[in-house]
Amino acid sequence: MKERFLFVLFLYLAFAIVFSGCRTADTTVGQTAHRVALQALTSRNCKIVLEEVYIPSDRPEKLRTQQITGSYLVVKGDRLSAYLTREVDSSKLFFGTSPLNGGEADLQIGEPEVRKNGDVNISLRVQGSQHYRVFEWVMTLYHDSNQCFVQASKVYMAGNFSFKGRILPLPEN
């Protein structure tokens, strides 16, 4: 009986050690991805891959969520370029006089603010070819990840939408 108890205890400890090591490795990978994403964004040389877009509906209590693939934004210096796929059934993501309808817009990036939980907030101001084609976003880069959520804050004739995505660095040229 005592031998069985010791065997079970040893097995439990072995599992605890193995799984705690996996968690540490996951955290380290997440921290590295977070650091690389933040560096790429602040150096203004990154790609933001859109994964999910939230578009307001005619009922304010229910946003429409749309999974998308193949769409991304490229930040190079003070320019934001949009590469958007149009799915057959989907509504237009960037409509009317949105700054992104032309594919490119000017970009201003604010200073990163680190929150208590480790997330980083950054303001983005996008302006198209006309002075009134402007919108402002608040981006949250999640702690220990390259995942971000971008919420529309001030919208001036630009289409009110938010999205979730990933920030990836672009190769240096």
Side-chain angles (χ1 to χ4, degrees), residues 41 44 75 77-80 99-100 105-111 122-128 130-139 150-151 153-156 158:
L41 184 62
R44 299 169 186 254
V75 175
D78 291 334
R79 301 294 292 167
L80 177 73
L100 294 179
D106 291 329
L107 175 68
Q108 296 172 349
I109 299 177
E111 288 296 316
I122 301 171
S123 64
L124 306 169
R125 182 178 170 92
V126 181
Q127 182 168 341
Q130 304 294 324
H131 72 281
Y132 58 86
R133 291 185 177 183
V134 174
F135 57 86
E136 294 180 18
W137 282 330
V138 175
M139 173 185 283
V150 177
Q151 175 70 48
S153 62
K154 296 179 182 173
V155 179
Y156 307 99

PDB file of all heavy atoms in Angstrom, residues 41 44 75 77-80 99-100 105-111 122-128 130-139 150-151 153-156 158:
ATOM      1  N   LEU A  41       5.803  47.767 -34.293  1.00  0.00           N
ATOM      2  CA  LEU A  41       4.805  48.832 -34.382  1.00  0.00           C
ATOM      3  C   LEU A  41       5.427  50.192 -34.096  1.00  0.00           C
ATOM      4  O   LEU A  41       5.206  51.148 -34.837  1.00  0.00           O
ATOM      5  CB  LEU A  41       3.645  48.563 -33.432  1.00  0.00           C
ATOM      6  CG  LEU A  41       2.489  49.546 -33.498  1.00  0.00           C
ATOM      7  CD1 LEU A  41       1.835  49.520 -34.876  1.00  0.00           C
ATOM      8  CD2 LEU A  41       1.462  49.243 -32.429  1.00  0.00           C
ATOM      9  N   ARG A  44       7.489  51.490 -36.759  1.00  0.00           N
ATOM     10  CA  ARG A  44       6.665  51.761 -37.937  1.00  0.00           C
ATOM     11  C   ARG A  44       7.061  50.906 -39.134  1.00  0.00           C
ATOM     12  O   ARG A  44       7.203  51.392 -40.255  1.00  0.00           O
ATOM     13  CB  ARG A  44       6.719  53.239 -38.298  1.00  0.00           C
ATOM     14  CG  ARG A  44       6.189  54.117 -37.194  1.00  0.00           C
ATOM     15  CD  ARG A  44       6.486  55.564 -37.462  1.00  0.00           C
ATOM     16  NE  ARG A  44       6.094  56.379 -36.336  1.00  0.00           N
ATOM     17  CZ  ARG A  44       5.028  57.152 -36.323  1.00  0.00           C
ATOM     18  NH1 ARG A  44       4.247  57.215 -37.363  1.00  0.00           N
ATOM     19  NH2 ARG A  44       4.756  57.859 -35.262  1.00  0.00           N
ATOM     20  N   VAL A  75       2.087  48.990 -42.086  1.00  0.00           N
ATOM     21  CA  VAL A  75       2.585  50.265 -41.573  1.00  0.00           C
ATOM     22  C   VAL A  75       4.036  50.388 -42.011  1.00  0.00           C
ATOM     23  O   VAL A  75       4.866  49.547 -41.666  1.00  0.00           O
ATOM     24  CB  VAL A  75       2.493  50.314 -40.029  1.00  0.00           C
ATOM     25  CG1 VAL A  75       3.124  51.582 -39.494  1.00  0.00           C
ATOM     26  CG2 VAL A  75       1.061  50.171 -39.569  1.00  0.00           C
ATOM     27  N   GLY A  77       6.652  53.553 -42.040  1.00  0.00           N
ATOM     28  CA  GLY A  77       6.887  54.964 -41.748  1.00  0.00           C
ATOM     29  C   GLY A  77       5.587  55.640 -41.329  1.00  0.00           C
ATOM     30  O   GLY A  77       4.895  55.182 -40.429  1.00  0.00           O
ATOM     31  N   ASP A  78       5.243  56.715 -42.015  1.00  0.00           N
ATOM     32  CA  ASP A  78       4.026  57.472 -41.701  1.00  0.00           C
ATOM     33  C   ASP A  78       2.879  57.132 -42.646  1.00  0.00           C
ATOM     34  O   ASP A  78       1.950  57.920 -42.808  1.00  0.00           O
ATOM     35  CB  ASP A  78       4.314  58.978 -41.771  1.00  0.00           C
ATOM     36  CG  ASP A  78       5.235  59.417 -40.651  1.00  0.00           C
ATOM     37  OD1 ASP A  78       5.253  58.747 -39.607  1.00  0.00           O
ATOM     38  OD2 ASP A  78       5.941  60.429 -40.823  1.00  0.00           O
ATOM     39  N   ARG A  79       2.921  55.961 -43.281  1.00  0.00           N
ATOM     40  CA  ARG A  79       1.877  55.539 -44.219  1.00  0.00           C
ATOM     41  C   ARG A  79       1.254  54.226 -43.755  1.00  0.00           C
ATOM     42  O   ARG A  79       1.933  53.342 -43.225  1.00  0.00           O
ATOM     43  CB  ARG A  79       2.441  55.330 -45.629  1.00  0.00           C
ATOM     44  CG  ARG A  79       3.084  56.545 -46.253  1.00  0.00           C
ATOM     45  CD  ARG A  79       2.151  57.668 -46.554  1.00  0.00           C
ATOM     46  NE  ARG A  79       1.233  57.310 -47.627  1.00  0.00           N
ATOM     47  CZ  ARG A  79       0.168  58.008 -47.930  1.00  0.00           C
ATOM     48  NH1 ARG A  79      -0.150  59.085 -47.251  1.00  0.00           N
ATOM     49  NH2 ARG A  79      -0.624  57.635 -48.903  1.00  0.00           N
ATOM     50  N   LEU A  80      -0.042  54.130 -43.968  1.00  0.00           N
ATOM     51  CA  LEU A  80      -0.789  52.910 -43.694  1.00  0.00           C
ATOM     52  C   LEU A  80      -1.396  52.460 -45.010  1.00  0.00           C
ATOM     53  O   LEU A  80      -2.114  53.227 -45.661  1.00  0.00           O
ATOM     54  CB  LEU A  80      -1.904  53.168 -42.672  1.00  0.00           C
ATOM     55  CG  LEU A  80      -2.804  51.983 -42.358  1.00  0.00           C
ATOM     56  CD1 LEU A  80      -2.048  50.963 -41.506  1.00  0.00           C
ATOM     57  CD2 LEU A  80      -4.048  52.431 -41.623  1.00  0.00           C
ATOM     58  N   PRO A  99     -10.889  56.688 -45.236  1.00  0.00           N
ATOM     59  CA  PRO A  99      -9.525  56.946 -45.681  1.00  0.00           C
ATOM     60  C   PRO A  99      -8.886  55.731 -46.332  1.00  0.00           C
ATOM     61  O   PRO A  99      -7.973  55.867 -47.129  1.00  0.00           O
ATOM     62  CB  PRO A  99      -8.785  57.293 -44.387  1.00  0.00           C
ATOM     63  CG  PRO A  99      -9.830  57.721 -43.442  1.00  0.00           C
ATOM     64  CD  PRO A  99     -11.064  56.983 -43.819  1.00  0.00           C
ATOM     65  N   LEU A 100      -9.359  54.527 -46.000  1.00  0.00           N
ATOM     66  CA  LEU A 100      -8.741  53.331 -46.552  1.00  0.00           C
ATOM     67  C   LEU A 100      -9.331  52.901 -47.887  1.00  0.00           C
ATOM     68  O   LEU A 100      -8.862  51.947 -48.479  1.00  0.00           O
ATOM     69  CB  LEU A 100      -8.837  52.185 -45.545  1.00  0.00           C
ATOM     70  CG  LEU A 100      -8.034  52.409 -44.270  1.00  0.00           C
ATOM     71  CD1 LEU A 100      -8.201  51.241 -43.330  1.00  0.00           C
ATOM     72  CD2 LEU A 100      -6.577  52.626 -44.583  1.00  0.00           C
ATOM     73  N   ALA A 105      -3.175  55.713 -46.645  1.00  0.00           N
ATOM     74  CA  ALA A 105      -3.526  56.890 -45.853  1.00  0.00           C
ATOM     75  C   ALA A 105      -2.331  57.273 -44.989  1.00  0.00           C
ATOM     76  O   ALA A 105      -1.418  56.465 -44.766  1.00  0.00           O
ATOM     77  CB  ALA A 105      -4.737  56.602 -44.976  1.00  0.00           C
ATOM     78  N   ASP A 106      -2.332  58.520 -44.508  1.00  0.00           N
ATOM     79  CA  ASP A 106      -1.310  58.976 -43.565  1.00  0.00           C
ATOM     80  C   ASP A 106      -1.613  58.399 -42.196  1.00  0.00           C
ATOM     81  O   ASP A 106      -2.771  58.190 -41.842  1.00  0.00           O
ATOM     82  CB  ASP A 106      -1.302  60.503 -43.480  1.00  0.00           C
ATOM     83  CG  ASP A 106      -0.794  61.150 -44.757  1.00  0.00           C
ATOM     84  OD1 ASP A 106       0.061  60.543 -45.432  1.00  0.00           O
ATOM     85  OD2 ASP A 106      -1.250  62.260 -45.080  1.00  0.00           O
ATOM     86  N   LEU A 107      -0.567  58.170 -41.412  1.00  0.00           N
ATOM     87  CA  LEU A 107      -0.720  57.549 -40.102  1.00  0.00           C
ATOM     88  C   LEU A 107       0.112  58.288 -39.066  1.00  0.00           C
ATOM     89  O   LEU A 107       1.279  58.608 -39.307  1.00  0.00           O
ATOM     90  CB  LEU A 107      -0.261  56.090 -40.163  1.00  0.00           C
ATOM     91  CG  LEU A 107      -0.243  55.312 -38.853  1.00  0.00           C
ATOM     92  CD1 LEU A 107      -1.655  55.091 -38.348  1.00  0.00           C
ATOM     93  CD2 LEU A 107       0.461  53.986 -39.038  1.00  0.00           C
ATOM     94  N   GLN A 108      -0.501  58.543 -37.927  1.00  0.00           N
ATOM     95  CA  GLN A 108       0.204  59.069 -36.762  1.00  0.00           C
ATOM     96  C   GLN A 108       0.023  58.053 -35.637  1.00  0.00           C
ATOM     97  O   GLN A 108      -1.098  57.616 -35.370  1.00  0.00           O
ATOM     98  CB  GLN A 108      -0.376  60.414 -36.325  1.00  0.00           C
ATOM     99  CG  GLN A 108      -0.213  61.509 -37.341  1.00  0.00           C
ATOM    100  CD  GLN A 108      -0.972  62.774 -36.929  1.00  0.00           C
ATOM    101  OE1 GLN A 108      -1.774  62.766 -36.008  1.00  0.00           O
ATOM    102  NE2 GLN A 108      -0.709  63.844 -37.642  1.00  0.00           N
ATOM    103  N   ILE A 109       1.126  57.685 -34.994  1.00  0.00           N
ATOM    104  CA  ILE A 109       1.086  56.711 -33.897  1.00  0.00           C
ATOM    105  C   ILE A 109       1.467  57.421 -32.609  1.00  0.00           C
ATOM    106  O   ILE A 109       2.495  58.100 -32.547  1.00  0.00           O
ATOM    107  CB  ILE A 109       2.054  55.536 -34.163  1.00  0.00           C
ATOM    108  CG1 ILE A 109       1.659  54.805 -35.441  1.00  0.00           C
ATOM    109  CG2 ILE A 109       2.065  54.579 -32.980  1.00  0.00           C
ATOM    110  CD1 ILE A 109       2.591  53.669 -35.826  1.00  0.00           C
ATOM    111  N   GLY A 110       0.626  57.261 -31.579  1.00  0.00           N
ATOM    112  CA  GLY A 110       0.895  57.869 -30.281  1.00  0.00           C
ATOM    113  C   GLY A 110       1.916  57.079 -29.483  1.00  0.00           C
ATOM    114  O   GLY A 110       2.374  56.009 -29.898  1.00  0.00           O
ATOM    115  N   GLU A 111       2.256  57.583 -28.328  1.00  0.00           N
ATOM    116  CA  GLU A 111       3.190  56.915 -27.423  1.00  0.00           C
ATOM    117  C   GLU A 111       2.504  55.722 -26.752  1.00  0.00           C
ATOM    118  O   GLU A 111       1.365  55.844 -26.303  1.00  0.00           O
ATOM    119  CB  GLU A 111       3.681  57.876 -26.347  1.00  0.00           C
ATOM    120  CG  GLU A 111       4.635  58.930 -26.862  1.00  0.00           C
ATOM    121  CD  GLU A 111       5.929  58.341 -27.387  1.00  0.00           C
ATOM    122  OE1 GLU A 111       6.502  57.442 -26.728  1.00  0.00           O
ATOM    123  OE2 GLU A 111       6.359  58.777 -28.473  1.00  0.00           O
ATOM    124  N   ILE A 122      -2.112  51.981 -27.559  1.00  0.00           N
ATOM    125  CA  ILE A 122      -1.483  52.916 -28.487  1.00  0.00           C
ATOM    126  C   ILE A 122      -2.589  53.562 -29.311  1.00  0.00           C
ATOM    127  O   ILE A 122      -3.478  52.873 -29.810  1.00  0.00           O
ATOM    128  CB  ILE A 122      -0.501  52.191 -29.427  1.00  0.00           C
ATOM    129  CG1 ILE A 122       0.594  51.493 -28.620  1.00  0.00           C
ATOM    130  CG2 ILE A 122       0.111  53.152 -30.433  1.00  0.00           C
ATOM    131  CD1 ILE A 122       1.480  50.591 -29.427  1.00  0.00           C
ATOM    132  N   SER A 123      -2.521  54.878 -29.472  1.00  0.00           N
ATOM    133  CA  SER A 123      -3.519  55.547 -30.311  1.00  0.00           C
ATOM    134  C   SER A 123      -2.988  55.657 -31.741  1.00  0.00           C
ATOM    135  O   SER A 123      -1.798  55.873 -31.954  1.00  0.00           O
ATOM    136  CB  SER A 123      -3.843  56.940 -29.750  1.00  0.00           C
ATOM    137  OG  SER A 123      -2.702  57.757 -29.803  1.00  0.00           O
ATOM    138  N   LEU A 124      -3.875  55.466 -32.689  1.00  0.00           N
ATOM    139  CA  LEU A 124      -3.548  55.568 -34.107  1.00  0.00           C
ATOM    140  C   LEU A 124      -4.509  56.564 -34.746  1.00  0.00           C
ATOM    141  O   LEU A 124      -5.716  56.463 -34.552  1.00  0.00           O
ATOM    142  CB  LEU A 124      -3.705  54.212 -34.801  1.00  0.00           C
ATOM    143  CG  LEU A 124      -2.951  53.029 -34.202  1.00  0.00           C
ATOM    144  CD1 LEU A 124      -3.432  51.732 -34.834  1.00  0.00           C
ATOM    145  CD2 LEU A 124      -1.469  53.195 -34.408  1.00  0.00           C
ATOM    146  N   ARG A 125      -3.985  57.501 -35.503  1.00  0.00           N
ATOM    147  CA  ARG A 125      -4.822  58.468 -36.222  1.00  0.00           C
ATOM    148  C   ARG A 125      -4.526  58.292 -37.706  1.00  0.00           C
ATOM    149  O   ARG A 125      -3.391  58.434 -38.140  1.00  0.00           O
ATOM    150  CB  ARG A 125      -4.514  59.884 -35.775  1.00  0.00           C
ATOM    151  CG  ARG A 125      -5.378  60.919 -36.452  1.00  0.00           C
ATOM    152  CD  ARG A 125      -5.034  62.317 -35.905  1.00  0.00           C
ATOM    153  NE  ARG A 125      -5.661  63.361 -36.666  1.00  0.00           N
ATOM    154  CZ  ARG A 125      -6.834  63.899 -36.398  1.00  0.00           C
ATOM    155  NH1 ARG A 125      -7.518  63.468 -35.353  1.00  0.00           N
ATOM    156  NH2 ARG A 125      -7.328  64.852 -37.141  1.00  0.00           N
ATOM    157  N   VAL A 126      -5.565  57.962 -38.468  1.00  0.00           N
ATOM    158  CA  VAL A 126      -5.434  57.694 -39.896  1.00  0.00           C
ATOM    159  C   VAL A 126      -6.152  58.791 -40.659  1.00  0.00           C
ATOM    160  O   VAL A 126      -7.306  59.110 -40.361  1.00  0.00           O
ATOM    161  CB  VAL A 126      -6.047  56.312 -40.249  1.00  0.00           C
ATOM    162  CG1 VAL A 126      -5.893  56.010 -41.717  1.00  0.00           C
ATOM    163  CG2 VAL A 126      -5.411  55.222 -39.398  1.00  0.00           C
ATOM    164  N   GLN A 127      -5.472  59.399 -41.638  1.00  0.00           N
ATOM    165  CA  GLN A 127      -6.082  60.472 -42.429  1.00  0.00           C
ATOM    166  C   GLN A 127      -5.879  60.188 -43.907  1.00  0.00           C
ATOM    167  O   GLN A 127      -4.764  59.973 -44.368  1.00  0.00           O
ATOM    168  CB  GLN A 127      -5.476  61.824 -42.087  1.00  0.00           C
ATOM    169  CG  GLN A 127      -6.127  62.946 -42.875  1.00  0.00           C
ATOM    170  CD  GLN A 127      -5.751  64.312 -42.336  1.00  0.00           C
ATOM    171  OE1 GLN A 127      -5.310  64.439 -41.215  1.00  0.00           O
ATOM    172  NE2 GLN A 127      -5.935  65.318 -43.165  1.00  0.00           N
ATOM    173  N   GLY A 128      -6.980  60.239 -44.655  1.00  0.00           N
ATOM    174  CA  GLY A 128      -6.955  60.032 -46.086  1.00  0.00           C
ATOM    175  C   GLY A 128      -6.561  61.291 -46.831  1.00  0.00           C
ATOM    176  O   GLY A 128      -6.022  62.242 -46.257  1.00  0.00           O
ATOM    177  N   GLN A 130      -8.360  63.664 -48.130  1.00  0.00           N
ATOM    178  CA  GLN A 130      -9.112  64.865 -47.753  1.00  0.00           C
ATOM    179  C   GLN A 130      -9.027  65.062 -46.246  1.00  0.00           C
ATOM    180  O   GLN A 130      -8.993  64.093 -45.493  1.00  0.00           O
ATOM    181  CB  GLN A 130     -10.588  64.726 -48.166  1.00  0.00           C
ATOM    182  CG  GLN A 130     -10.800  64.442 -49.639  1.00  0.00           C
ATOM    183  CD  GLN A 130     -10.354  65.608 -50.502  1.00  0.00           C
ATOM    184  OE1 GLN A 130     -10.508  66.757 -50.123  1.00  0.00           O
ATOM    185  NE2 GLN A 130      -9.787  65.304 -51.662  1.00  0.00           N
ATOM    186  N   HIS A 131      -9.019  66.315 -45.784  1.00  0.00           N
ATOM    187  CA  HIS A 131      -8.856  66.594 -44.361  1.00  0.00           C
ATOM    188  C   HIS A 131      -9.963  65.994 -43.500  1.00  0.00           C
ATOM    189  O   HIS A 131      -9.762  65.700 -42.338  1.00  0.00           O
ATOM    190  CB  HIS A 131      -8.755  68.103 -44.119  1.00  0.00           C
ATOM    191  CG  HIS A 131     -10.054  68.826 -44.295  1.00  0.00           C
ATOM    192  ND1 HIS A 131     -10.562  69.146 -45.535  1.00  0.00           N
ATOM    193  CD2 HIS A 131     -10.962  69.249 -43.391  1.00  0.00           C
ATOM    194  CE1 HIS A 131     -11.723  69.758 -45.393  1.00  0.00           C
ATOM    195  NE2 HIS A 131     -11.979  69.845 -44.098  1.00  0.00           N
ATOM    196  N   TYR A 132     -11.148  65.789 -44.045  1.00  0.00           N
ATOM    197  CA  TYR A 132     -12.259  65.249 -43.249  1.00  0.00           C
ATOM    198  C   TYR A 132     -12.305  63.729 -43.280  1.00  0.00           C
ATOM    199  O   TYR A 132     -13.106  63.109 -42.596  1.00  0.00           O
ATOM    200  CB  TYR A 132     -13.596  65.826 -43.737  1.00  0.00           C
ATOM    201  CG  TYR A 132     -13.869  65.551 -45.195  1.00  0.00           C
ATOM    202  CD1 TYR A 132     -14.460  64.371 -45.601  1.00  0.00           C
ATOM    203  CD2 TYR A 132     -13.523  66.485 -46.166  1.00  0.00           C
ATOM    204  CE1 TYR A 132     -14.706  64.109 -46.930  1.00  0.00           C
ATOM    205  CE2 TYR A 132     -13.768  66.238 -47.500  1.00  0.00           C
ATOM    206  CZ  TYR A 132     -14.357  65.052 -47.882  1.00  0.00           C
ATOM    207  OH  TYR A 132     -14.580  64.806 -49.205  1.00  0.00           O
ATOM    208  N   ARG A 133     -11.460  63.097 -44.046  1.00  0.00           N
ATOM    209  CA  ARG A 133     -11.421  61.633 -44.094  1.00  0.00           C
ATOM    210  C   ARG A 133     -10.451  61.125 -43.039  1.00  0.00           C
ATOM    211  O   ARG A 133      -9.330  60.728 -43.328  1.00  0.00           O
ATOM    212  CB  ARG A 133     -11.002  61.158 -45.482  1.00  0.00           C
ATOM    213  CG  ARG A 133     -12.031  61.423 -46.537  1.00  0.00           C
ATOM    214  CD  ARG A 133     -11.630  60.829 -47.838  1.00  0.00           C
ATOM    215  NE  ARG A 133     -12.668  61.047 -48.831  1.00  0.00           N
ATOM    216  CZ  ARG A 133     -12.618  60.588 -50.049  1.00  0.00           C
ATOM    217  NH1 ARG A 133     -11.586  59.889 -50.449  1.00  0.00           N
ATOM    218  NH2 ARG A 133     -13.587  60.814 -50.888  1.00  0.00           N
ATOM    219  N   VAL A 134     -10.913  61.140 -41.807  1.00  0.00           N
ATOM    220  CA  VAL A 134     -10.056  60.840 -40.659  1.00  0.00           C
ATOM    221  C   VAL A 134     -10.762  59.858 -39.732  1.00  0.00           C
ATOM    222  O   VAL A 134     -11.974  59.920 -39.576  1.00  0.00           O
ATOM    223  CB  VAL A 134      -9.751  62.142 -39.868  1.00  0.00           C
ATOM    224  CG1 VAL A 134      -8.984  61.830 -38.600  1.00  0.00           C
ATOM    225  CG2 VAL A 134      -8.992  63.122 -40.726  1.00  0.00           C
ATOM    226  N   PHE A 135     -10.000  58.957 -39.143  1.00  0.00           N
ATOM    227  CA  PHE A 135     -10.519  58.218 -38.001  1.00  0.00           C
ATOM    228  C   PHE A 135      -9.401  57.935 -37.029  1.00  0.00           C
ATOM    229  O   PHE A 135      -8.226  57.969 -37.381  1.00  0.00           O
ATOM    230  CB  PHE A 135     -11.279  56.934 -38.371  1.00  0.00           C
ATOM    231  CG  PHE A 135     -10.522  55.928 -39.191  1.00  0.00           C
ATOM    232  CD1 PHE A 135      -9.718  54.985 -38.590  1.00  0.00           C
ATOM    233  CD2 PHE A 135     -10.665  55.896 -40.564  1.00  0.00           C
ATOM    234  CE1 PHE A 135      -9.063  54.037 -39.345  1.00  0.00           C
ATOM    235  CE2 PHE A 135     -10.001  54.952 -41.322  1.00  0.00           C
ATOM    236  CZ  PHE A 135      -9.198  54.027 -40.725  1.00  0.00           C
ATOM    237  N   GLU A 136      -9.796  57.729 -35.796  1.00  0.00           N
ATOM    238  CA  GLU A 136      -8.845  57.434 -34.731  1.00  0.00           C
ATOM    239  C   GLU A 136      -9.180  56.074 -34.139  1.00  0.00           C
ATOM    240  O   GLU A 136     -10.347  55.754 -33.942  1.00  0.00           O
ATOM    241  CB  GLU A 136      -8.884  58.527 -33.668  1.00  0.00           C
ATOM    242  CG  GLU A 136      -8.401  59.858 -34.198  1.00  0.00           C
ATOM    243  CD  GLU A 136      -8.438  60.955 -33.170  1.00  0.00           C
ATOM    244  OE1 GLU A 136      -8.509  60.652 -31.967  1.00  0.00           O
ATOM    245  OE2 GLU A 136      -8.387  62.126 -33.583  1.00  0.00           O
ATOM    246  N   TRP A 137      -8.134  55.312 -33.882  1.00  0.00           N
ATOM    247  CA  TRP A 137      -8.270  53.998 -33.280  1.00  0.00           C
ATOM    248  C   TRP A 137      -7.500  53.972 -31.982  1.00  0.00           C
ATOM    249  O   TRP A 137      -6.511  54.682 -31.826  1.00  0.00           O
ATOM    250  CB  TRP A 137      -7.663  52.917 -34.174  1.00  0.00           C
ATOM    251  CG  TRP A 137      -8.463  52.483 -35.341  1.00  0.00           C
ATOM    252  CD1 TRP A 137      -9.812  52.455 -35.465  1.00  0.00           C
ATOM    253  CD2 TRP A 137      -7.946  51.974 -36.573  1.00  0.00           C
ATOM    254  NE1 TRP A 137     -10.173  51.953 -36.689  1.00  0.00           N
ATOM    255  CE2 TRP A 137      -9.034  51.647 -37.391  1.00  0.00           C
ATOM    256  CE3 TRP A 137      -6.662  51.745 -37.049  1.00  0.00           C
ATOM    257  CZ2 TRP A 137      -8.894  51.110 -38.658  1.00  0.00           C
ATOM    258  CZ3 TRP A 137      -6.522  51.215 -38.314  1.00  0.00           C
ATOM    259  CH2 TRP A 137      -7.627  50.902 -39.106  1.00  0.00           C
ATOM    260  N   VAL A 138      -7.936  53.124 -31.076  1.00  0.00           N
ATOM    261  CA  VAL A 138      -7.157  52.808 -29.886  1.00  0.00           C
ATOM    262  C   VAL A 138      -6.819  51.330 -30.003  1.00  0.00           C
ATOM    263  O   VAL A 138      -7.705  50.479 -30.058  1.00  0.00           O
ATOM    264  CB  VAL A 138      -7.944  53.089 -28.586  1.00  0.00           C
ATOM    265  CG1 VAL A 138      -7.139  52.639 -27.385  1.00  0.00           C
ATOM    266  CG2 VAL A 138      -8.279  54.562 -28.486  1.00  0.00           C
ATOM    267  N   MET A 139      -5.529  51.045 -30.094  1.00  0.00           N
ATOM    268  CA  MET A 139      -5.072  49.662 -30.225  1.00  0.00           C
ATOM    269  C   MET A 139      -4.626  49.153 -28.864  1.00  0.00           C
ATOM    270  O   MET A 139      -3.922  49.850 -28.139  1.00  0.00           O
ATOM    271  CB  MET A 139      -3.902  49.565 -31.207  1.00  0.00           C
ATOM    272  CG  MET A 139      -3.277  48.180 -31.270  1.00  0.00           C
ATOM    273  SD  MET A 139      -1.824  48.118 -32.324  1.00  0.00           S
ATOM    274  CE  MET A 139      -2.609  48.091 -33.925  1.00  0.00           C
ATOM    275  N   VAL A 150      -8.288  46.455 -32.001  1.00  0.00           N
ATOM    276  CA  VAL A 150      -8.322  47.851 -32.401  1.00  0.00           C
ATOM    277  C   VAL A 150      -9.767  48.328 -32.367  1.00  0.00           C
ATOM    278  O   VAL A 150     -10.630  47.771 -33.036  1.00  0.00           O
ATOM    279  CB  VAL A 150      -7.713  48.048 -33.799  1.00  0.00           C
ATOM    280  CG1 VAL A 150      -7.809  49.483 -34.232  1.00  0.00           C
ATOM    281  CG2 VAL A 150      -6.262  47.584 -33.801  1.00  0.00           C
ATOM    282  N   GLN A 151     -10.015  49.338 -31.535  1.00  0.00           N
ATOM    283  CA  GLN A 151     -11.355  49.892 -31.332  1.00  0.00           C
ATOM    284  C   GLN A 151     -11.427  51.270 -31.963  1.00  0.00           C
ATOM    285  O   GLN A 151     -10.582  52.119 -31.699  1.00  0.00           O
ATOM    286  CB  GLN A 151     -11.637  50.002 -29.830  1.00  0.00           C
ATOM    287  CG  GLN A 151     -12.938  50.677 -29.462  1.00  0.00           C
ATOM    288  CD  GLN A 151     -14.135  49.841 -29.822  1.00  0.00           C
ATOM    289  OE1 GLN A 151     -14.188  48.665 -29.525  1.00  0.00           O
ATOM    290  NE2 GLN A 151     -15.093  50.440 -30.474  1.00  0.00           N
ATOM    291  N   SER A 153     -12.465  54.929 -32.144  1.00  0.00           N
ATOM    292  CA  SER A 153     -12.890  55.865 -31.109  1.00  0.00           C
ATOM    293  C   SER A 153     -13.553  57.075 -31.747  1.00  0.00           C
ATOM    294  O   SER A 153     -14.754  57.228 -31.646  1.00  0.00           O
ATOM    295  CB  SER A 153     -11.723  56.259 -30.205  1.00  0.00           C
ATOM    296  OG  SER A 153     -10.717  56.908 -30.937  1.00  0.00           O
ATOM    297  N   LYS A 154     -12.830  57.907 -32.452  1.00  0.00           N
ATOM    298  CA  LYS A 154     -13.424  59.061 -33.125  1.00  0.00           C
ATOM    299  C   LYS A 154     -13.463  58.774 -34.613  1.00  0.00           C
ATOM    300  O   LYS A 154     -12.445  58.482 -35.219  1.00  0.00           O
ATOM    301  CB  LYS A 154     -12.604  60.307 -32.854  1.00  0.00           C
ATOM    302  CG  LYS A 154     -12.586  60.706 -31.404  1.00  0.00           C
ATOM    303  CD  LYS A 154     -11.737  61.926 -31.196  1.00  0.00           C
ATOM    304  CE  LYS A 154     -11.696  62.276 -29.713  1.00  0.00           C
ATOM    305  NZ  LYS A 154     -10.761  63.359 -29.451  1.00  0.00           N
ATOM    306  N   VAL A 155     -14.640  58.855 -35.182  1.00  0.00           N
ATOM    307  CA  VAL A 155     -14.804  58.528 -36.589  1.00  0.00           C
ATOM    308  C   VAL A 155     -15.400  59.733 -37.302  1.00  0.00           C
ATOM    309  O   VAL A 155     -16.440  60.240 -36.906  1.00  0.00           O
ATOM    310  CB  VAL A 155     -15.742  57.301 -36.759  1.00  0.00           C
ATOM    311  CG1 VAL A 155     -15.929  56.978 -38.213  1.00  0.00           C
ATOM    312  CG2 VAL A 155     -15.196  56.120 -35.996  1.00  0.00           C
ATOM    313  N   TYR A 156     -14.724  60.193 -38.331  1.00  0.00           N
ATOM    314  CA  TYR A 156     -15.200  61.320 -39.126  1.00  0.00           C
ATOM    315  C   TYR A 156     -15.395  60.832 -40.556  1.00  0.00           C
ATOM    316  O   TYR A 156     -14.432  60.730 -41.306  1.00  0.00           O
ATOM    317  CB  TYR A 156     -14.188  62.471 -39.109  1.00  0.00           C
ATOM    318  CG  TYR A 156     -13.782  62.879 -37.728  1.00  0.00           C
ATOM    319  CD1 TYR A 156     -12.587  62.424 -37.175  1.00  0.00           C
ATOM    320  CD2 TYR A 156     -14.592  63.700 -36.957  1.00  0.00           C
ATOM    321  CE1 TYR A 156     -12.214  62.794 -35.896  1.00  0.00           C
ATOM    322  CE2 TYR A 156     -14.224  64.062 -35.675  1.00  0.00           C
ATOM    323  CZ  TYR A 156     -13.026  63.612 -35.160  1.00  0.00           C
ATOM    324  OH  TYR A 156     -12.665  63.969 -33.900  1.00  0.00           O
ATOM    325  N   ALA A 158     -15.739  57.928 -41.831  1.00  0.00           N
ATOM    326  CA  ALA A 158     -14.736  56.925 -42.171  1.00  0.00           C
ATOM    327  C   ALA A 158     -15.208  55.490 -42.011  1.00  0.00           C
ATOM    328  O   ALA A 158     -14.473  54.581 -42.305  1.00  0.00           O
ATOM    329  CB  ALA A 158     -13.496  57.142 -41.320  1.00  0.00           C
TER     330      ALA A 158
END
